[in-house]
Amino acid sequence: MTLEAAGVSDAEESAYRILVTMGRASAHDFAVRAGLDTTDAEQILTALTAKGLASHTDAVPRLYRATPPDVALMPRLKQQADALDHARATATGLLEIYRDTMRRSDADQLIEVITGADALRQHLRRIQADTRDEMLWFCKAQYVAMPSGSNSEEFDALARGVRYRVLYEKAFFDDEGAVDNVIEGVRAGEVARAVPHLPLRLAVSDRAIAICPLVPGGPYGSPEEPTTALVRDSSLLAALVALFERYWDDAVPLHVDDSGTVSGTDGVVGADPLSATDRRLLSLLVAGVADKAIASQMGLSRRTVQRHIQQLMTIADAATRMQLAWQAARRGWV
C-alpha cells in the first residue's frame, strides 16, 4: 500500500480502492465485494467518511461513495509535504548548531587533514558542486592535484549562477595550455585577476569552507603526497578570506578581447595609469567638489567630467565614487 504518507492505513486504503471501483454501494454490497462481514464493513466505511475519503446518503440503507482522489488525498499529501519541508529545515538548523557547538570543543571539527592528490581532487570537486554563491581561488603555477583545464566543475557552477573570483600568479601563465584555459573560464563568466606572486594555493566556498596546503606536495602530479587542510567556519577561515581580499584589491584585472588575447597576465599595474587631467579631476573629487564646480574649474563640460570619473572608476575597479576615493588614496593617486 502507498497512501500511508497521507495518513491512510493499509486497511483504509484497501477499502477506499474498492469503493472507488464500485462508484456507489451500500454497506452490504461493499461487504460482499471486500469479503467482510457487514459490521466490519460499516466500521471501515465510517472511518473513511470521518477522514473525508467517502460520503454517504441519508436514505436507508445508506449508500457510500468515494470522495474524488484529488479532493480526498492531494490536500493531505501537500500538508505532509509542507510538514516534511519544515522538519527538514528545522533539522538543518539543528545540524548547524550542533556543528558550531562541536567546533568550539573539538579541533577535528574545524580542520580536517587531507592527504594525497586524489583525495584533494575529490574534495575540490565536491565543494564546488556544493557551492551556492561564490568561489574564491588562488591559482599558483604547476598543478598539484587538478591540472589546468580539467576543472569541469567550475563551468557547471558558473552555469547555475555561482560567481568565481580567481587570482592567478604570473608564473601560472607559463604552464602549457594555461592561457587558453583562462580565456575559456573568463568567457564562461569567471572574474579573473593576476598578481606577480601568490603566497599559497587556496580555494574558498561560500566563505564557509576552505582548502589550503599544510605541507606542499610536488608539482605536476609528483608522487610526493601533498598534505592539505579543509578549514571550516572559524577565525582561521576568516583570515584566509581576508588574505584573498587583500591580494584581490591589489591585483590587475584580466581582459580577454574579441581576438582571444589576454591582457594583464603579468599582474603589474602600469607605472602611471592617470593623465595630469585625471589627477587634477580626482583631487577635486576627493576634496568633495561637485561635478558642476569641477567642470567650471577645469574648463570642461559636466558630461566630460562624468565620463572621466567613470573611466577612473573602471581603472580602479570601483563600483561607487566612495570606493574610487578610497582606491585613489590607497594607490597614491592623490
Side-chain angles (χ1 to χ4, degrees):
M1 296 299 175
T2 58
L3 295 180
E4 184 178 356
V8 179
S9 69
D10 288 350
E12 290 168 344
E13 179 177 349
S14 179
Y16 179 71
R17 288 176 177 273
I18 292 171
L19 195 58
V20 166
T21 64
M22 294 183 73
R24 179 181 293 185
S26 66
H28 173 73
D29 293 338
F30 176 83
V32 172
R33 176 69 69 87
L36 301 172
D37 60 47
T38 303
T39 300
D40 289 340
E42 288 179 343
Q43 288 179 347
I44 195 71
L45 288 170
T46 299
L48 291 181
T49 303
K51 289 189 173 183
L53 298 174
S55 60
H56 61 74
T57 64
D58 293 329
V60 179
R62 287 179 173 177
L63 297 179
Y64 291 86
R65 173 180 290 175
T67 304
D70 58 337
V71 177
L73 299 174
M74 293 306 178
R76 285 174 168 269
L77 291 171
K78 183 179 184 306
Q79 188 176 41
Q80 289 294 326
D82 291 343
L84 183 60
D85 288 341
H86 180 70
R88 185 182 292 112
T90 300
T92 300
L94 289 171
L95 178 59
E96 289 301 317
I97 295 172
Y98 172 80
R99 286 175 174 171
D100 184 62
T101 301
M102 293 301 295
R103 283 196 292 264
R104 295 177 185 276
S105 59
D106 185 354
D108 290 342
Q109 297 293 321
L110 290 175
I111 300 177
E112 177 184 344
V113 177
I114 304 168
T115 303
D118 287 342
L120 173 56
R121 183 163 48 249
Q122 291 173 10
H123 277 79
L124 285 170
R125 286 174 172 163
R126 188 182 68 199
I127 69 168
Q128 291 180 91
D130 292 340
T131 300
R132 293 173 295 179
D133 299 314
E134 183 180 52
M135 279 294 301
L136 311 177
W137 211 294
F138 275 178
C139 281
K140 288 178 66 66
Q142 304 180 349
Y143 76 87
V144 170
M146 190 171 284
S148 177
S150 66
N151 187 15
S152 59
E153 285 74 19
E154 174 180 351
F155 296 97
D156 294 340
L158 286 168
R160 67 174 185 270
V162 174
R163 186 187 187 205
Y164 269 69
R165 287 197 287 152
V166 184
L167 268 174
Y168 298 93
E169 67 177 7
K170 179 181 178 181
F172 175 88
F173 298 98
D174 295 332
D175 290 352
E176 183 178 355
V179 173
D180 290 339
N181 293 326
V182 171
I183 291 172
E184 186 179 5
V186 170
R187 285 178 170 171
E190 174 187 300
V191 182
R193 295 186 182 184
V195 292
H197 176 73
L198 287 171
L200 76 166
R201 304 177 193 275
L202 175 67
V204 183
S205 168
D206 288 335
R207 299 175 182 254
I209 191 168
I211 292 180
C212 65
L214 291 175
V215 179
Y220 297 115
S222 165
E224 298 176 32
E225 292 287 349
T227 302
T228 313
L230 187 71
V231 183
R232 295 182 176 85
D233 193 14
S234 61
S235 297
L236 177 57
L237 177 61
L240 291 172
V241 172
L243 177 68
F244 177 91
E245 296 293 358
R246 181 67 182 83
Y247 271 79
W248 183 262
D249 285 343
D250 289 338
V252 176
L254 295 181
H255 296 289
V256 178
D257 63 22
D258 294 338
S259 66
T261 301
V262 185
S263 60
T265 56
D266 59 0
V268 178
V269 179
D272 189 358
L274 305 185
S275 66
T277 299
D278 288 333
R279 289 186 177 277
R280 184 183 175 197
L281 186 153
L282 191 55
S283 65
L284 292 170
L285 180 67
V286 172
V289 181
D291 290 2
K292 184 176 181 180
I294 293 175
S296 177
Q297 290 189 40
M298 296 185 64
L300 303 171
S301 70
R302 188 172 180 179
R303 179 172 295 181
T304 300
V305 167
Q306 291 172 342
R307 186 172 65 251
H308 272 282
I309 292 173
Q310 190 60 49
Q311 291 171 348
L312 288 168
M313 290 172 65
T314 300
I315 294 172
D317 193 30
T320 65
R321 293 190 177 195
M322 182 176 294
Q323 290 180 5
L324 172 60
W326 183 83
Q327 289 284 358
R330 189 176 65 84
R331 300 183 187 204
W333 290 349
V334 293

